[in-house]
Amino acid sequence: MRREAEQCERDTSMENTTWMANYTVRSDFELVGLFSQSKHPAVLCVVIFLAFLMALSGNTILILLIHCDAHLHTPMYFFITQLSLMDVMYISVTVPKMLMDQVMGVNKISAPECGMQMFFYLTLGGSEFFLLAAMAYDRYVAICHPLRYPILMNHRVCLLLVSSSWILGSVDGFMLTPVTMTFPFCRSREIHHFFCEVPAVMKLSCSDTSLYETLMYLCCVLMLFITVTVILSSYSFILFTIHRMNSAEGRKKAFATCSSHMMVVISFYGASVYTYMLPTSYHTPEKDMIVSVFYTILTPVLNPLIYSLRNKDVTRGLKKMLNVGSVFQETLK
């Protein structure tokens, strides 16, 4: 009897171990990402790693430069600092995991990790949507109401706009992530993407997701409607004011400031519209990954270049920082 009880306990333990192993395997996803599509994955890995370093260094330098230079302590540069912070976090959510998987030869991601990655990129993407609208409003006040600018865009208002952007972006993450991750996934566990993006994960579900996709579409339309209305209204007033300016130098400066922001808006919004608003028939895994590379990797690389190379105040501050560094080195010698 005792021997039979021990055997029974052993069998139960083995069954539990097997069940846990099967559950662990079933709860993991496989990211079939960029490197599986490339003929030269090692070269692609190096290129993405260099882009990641450029994004980190470019945005970090821009944040430090704005923090250290008193001339750049204005609302516009406060918003640029927040944008750079979002870009650093945005690229850090997806790229390090992708590069580590390629180096280690592993492409699995657990369901909790997938959910966390999804939440952070949705939150950061949504926050950037609203922040770009706040930046457009800031340019409108600066160009159309220059005398009232210090009052209308005081530090309290800037903090309110930035915190609202973060909160509204997190609402997007809190709404979409739990619903997406609670769908039953009884098909292949292969996500044809390099990170857990909502449309790519939804394709694995074996239940009807049409209602959820419609609600997600309406959510994106609402976000776009609010932010695009603010941006278009701001720039309509800006263009009207610029047209009435007598000074050619003032026109040139206003256009330079606004064109930088519009380049960032078009690149970010265009990629987001393709991903979340175009019908499924327009999508293929290859196209989706290319578009995602654009707004998750290239945009964080380009943003600091757009705001530094096209901005005299930033280039002046950068030269000043480099001169201080060279003087400091000479004194050490």
Side-chain angles (χ1 to χ4, degrees):
M1 287 290 290
R2 190 175 177 182
R3 196 173 295 167
E4 287 176 3
E6 287 177 357
Q7 183 65 32
C8 183
E9 284 179 13
R10 207 175 292 124
D11 291 342
T12 306
S13 177
M14 286 179 67
E15 283 175 10
N16 288 337
T17 306
T18 306
W19 180 85
M20 284 297 290
N22 289 338
Y23 179 79
T24 305
V25 169
R26 285 201 305 271
S27 65
D28 286 343
F29 295 101
E30 287 187 30
L31 293 168
V32 184
L34 286 172
F35 300 112
S36 62
Q37 308 289 328
S38 174
K39 293 180 181 178
H40 306 287
V43 175
L44 183 61
C45 186
V46 171
V47 170
I48 291 173
F49 178 66
L50 291 174
F52 177 65
L53 289 180
M54 283 179 64
L56 280 187
S57 57
N59 284 290
T60 304
I61 289 169
L62 192 57
I63 291 168
L64 291 174
L65 178 64
I66 292 169
H67 178 72
C68 296
D69 194 335
H71 294 97
L72 301 179
H73 291 179
T74 62
M76 183 178 83
Y77 294 108
F78 175 67
F79 290 126
I80 291 174
T81 302
Q82 292 297 311
L83 183 66
S84 292
L85 179 63
M86 287 178 186
D87 282 341
V88 167
M89 295 172 70
Y90 203 55
I91 198 170
S92 300
V93 167
T94 56
V95 172
K97 165 72 178 166
M98 177 174 61
L99 294 175
M100 283 297 294
D101 285 355
Q102 176 63 17
V103 172
M104 303 293 289
V106 180
N107 62 348
K108 291 189 181 298
I109 183 168
S110 67
E113 286 176 328
C114 186
M116 285 180 65
Q117 192 181 61
M118 187 181 294
F119 170 76
F120 282 119
Y121 97 79
L122 284 171
T123 297
L124 291 163
S127 300
E128 195 157 329
F129 257 76
F130 291 104
L131 183 68
L132 290 171
M135 291 172 76
Y137 173 73
D138 170 69
R139 292 299 81 213
Y140 155 72
V141 177
I143 294 169
C144 300
H145 304 283
L147 297 178
R148 297 172 63 196
Y149 183 66
I151 300 166
L152 294 174
M153 293 300 294
N154 59 54
H155 189 62
R156 188 175 176 181
V157 172
C158 292
L159 285 175
L160 180 64
L161 289 171
V162 167
S163 57
S164 298
S165 299
W166 281 102
I167 291 166
L168 291 169
S170 66
V171 169
D172 194 32
F174 279 118
M175 273 174 42
L176 298 181
T177 305
V179 179
T180 304
M181 296 308 293
T182 49
F183 275 105
F185 301 109
C186 52
R187 293 175 185 169
S188 168
R189 308 294 288 187
E190 291 184 351
I191 300 173
H192 289 273
H193 217 301
F194 60 91
F195 69 100
C196 290
E197 193 168 39
V198 173
V201 175
M202 289 302 299
K203 289 176 183 176
L204 307 182
S205 177
C206 53
S207 60
D208 183 17
T209 60
S210 56
L211 178 61
Y212 174 60
E213 287 173 12
T214 304
L215 291 172
M216 185 170 67
Y217 174 81
L218 291 173
C219 178
C220 293
V221 168
L222 181 63
M223 280 179 63
L224 271 174
F225 177 75
I226 294 169
T227 53
V228 170
T229 300
V230 172
I231 291 168
L232 290 179
S233 301
S234 299
Y235 278 101
S236 298
F237 286 115
I238 286 169
L239 289 172
F240 181 69
T241 305
I242 290 172
H243 180 69
R244 292 170 59 190
M245 280 182 181
N246 296 321
S247 169
E249 185 64 29
R251 278 203 204 110
K252 188 179 176 182
K253 188 175 181 181
F255 268 121
T257 306
C258 296
S259 60
S260 299
H261 182 250
M262 282 308 296
M263 286 171 68
V264 174
V265 167
I266 291 167
S267 62
F268 190 77
Y269 275 60
S272 301
V273 167
Y274 170 85
T275 304
Y276 291 98
M277 295 188 67
L278 284 185
T280 313
S281 56
Y282 286 86
H283 291 262
T284 63
E286 292 77 19
K287 283 182 184 177
D288 290 352
M289 277 192 276
I290 290 169
V291 172
S292 295
V293 164
F294 185 79
Y295 74 84
T296 58
I297 299 173
L298 290 182
T299 301
V301 174
L302 294 174
N303 281 357
L305 296 175
I306 291 169
Y307 281 112
S308 59
L309 296 177
R310 296 178 59 84
N311 192 304
K312 289 182 181 179
D313 294 330
V314 174
T315 50
R316 195 183 298 117
L318 189 59
K319 286 176 184 176
K320 187 179 176 183
M321 182 185 280
L322 293 172
N323 289 335
V324 169
S326 60
V327 169
F328 181 70
Q329 285 181 350
E330 287 178 8
T331 53
L332 287 175
K333 290 177 183 178

